[in-house]
Amino acid sequence: MIESIWLFGYGSILWRPDFPYTAAKAARLSNFQRRFWQASTDHRGTPSRPGAVATLRYCEGAQTLGIAYRIEHAGLIQTMTQLDQREKNGYVQQTVAVTLDTGQTISAITYVAQAGNTWDLGRPTDEILAEQIRSARGPSGTNLTYFQYLRWASRCLKEADDHLDRLAVE
């Protein structure tokens, strides 16, 4: 029986986990970068006006900071079922190795939207992304609010994220 798992959050899970956890630690994922290259038609946009939300893309030498949450067995099935529903538009579970702020490397589950999925935005320019983020709104609120909270959380972790910074300038 699995006693607990670690879940790595880098997008909305970073600033709105919305599930029970027993520990939260700053964590670093190597060789991946956060990018707003995934459309949201169910949370931060609609089918007629999709929002743009974060996913991870492999990039040798890159690093993404986030939070690793420890989820205990008692709430594991319910939590993962809720997360699978929350992260349904193109995201799949992926097991990754993250390094906690203590220096310990652990195995964690995260949600990644692979390139080429139905909601993949490709590699739009910062100008196009910024306009999409400014104008989209969905059942979970405005896309701009999502972006602002994610940028705030990134800054709280003292992460230098050139992608977020360029989008903020636009």
Side-chain angles (χ1 to χ4, degrees):
M1 171 176 20
I2 298 172
E3 291 184 25
S4 65
I5 66 160
W6 286 94
L7 178 81
F8 179 71
Y10 62 89
S12 64
I13 291 173
L14 181 61
W15 52 268
R16 188 179 62 88
D18 202 26
F19 53 81
Y21 56 90
T22 56
K25 298 184 179 285
R28 181 180 67 252
L29 175 62
S30 295
N31 297 318
F32 284 88
Q33 58 188 4
R34 180 190 304 116
R35 291 293 181 257
F36 270 72
W37 292 350
Q38 182 70 5
S40 174
T41 60
D42 60 342
H43 288 290
R44 297 296 174 161
T46 62
S48 63
R49 182 167 275 183
V53 291
T55 189
L56 294 170
R57 293 295 162 85
Y58 181 81
C59 179
E60 186 74 32
Q63 294 188 10
T64 297
L65 293 180
I67 301 287
Y69 299 94
R70 186 180 178 110
I71 304 169
E72 300 298 329
H73 173 75
L76 190 56
I77 292 173
Q78 180 179 352
T79 296
M80 296 313 292
T81 300
Q82 289 172 334
L83 286 169
D84 286 346
Q85 179 64 24
R86 176 176 167 176
E87 304 296 327
K88 66 183 176 188
N89 266 21
Y91 290 88
V92 295
Q93 289 183 17
Q94 185 171 329
T95 302
V96 294
V98 296
T99 304
L100 302 178
D101 58 1
T102 62
Q104 178 186 11
T105 299
I106 60 164
S107 180
I109 293 171
T110 195
Y111 286 84
V112 177
Q114 300 293 335
N117 76 77
T118 302
W119 297 273
D120 180 25
L121 294 173
R123 294 174 171 248
T125 66
D126 292 341
E127 184 178 81
I128 289 170
L129 275 178
E131 176 54 33
Q132 189 167 358
I133 290 167
R134 273 193 302 272
S135 63
R137 169 186 275 286
S140 297
T142 69
N143 200 179
L144 184 57
T145 299
Y146 172 97
F147 173 80
Q148 290 169 331
Y149 275 123
L150 184 51
R151 187 157 186 249
W152 167 80
S154 176
R155 286 180 162 181
C156 287
L157 290 171
K158 301 193 180 355
E159 179 183 27
D161 189 320
D162 63 332
H163 182 66
L164 292 177
D165 291 343
R166 287 192 320 269
L167 288 173
V169 167
E170 287 294 329

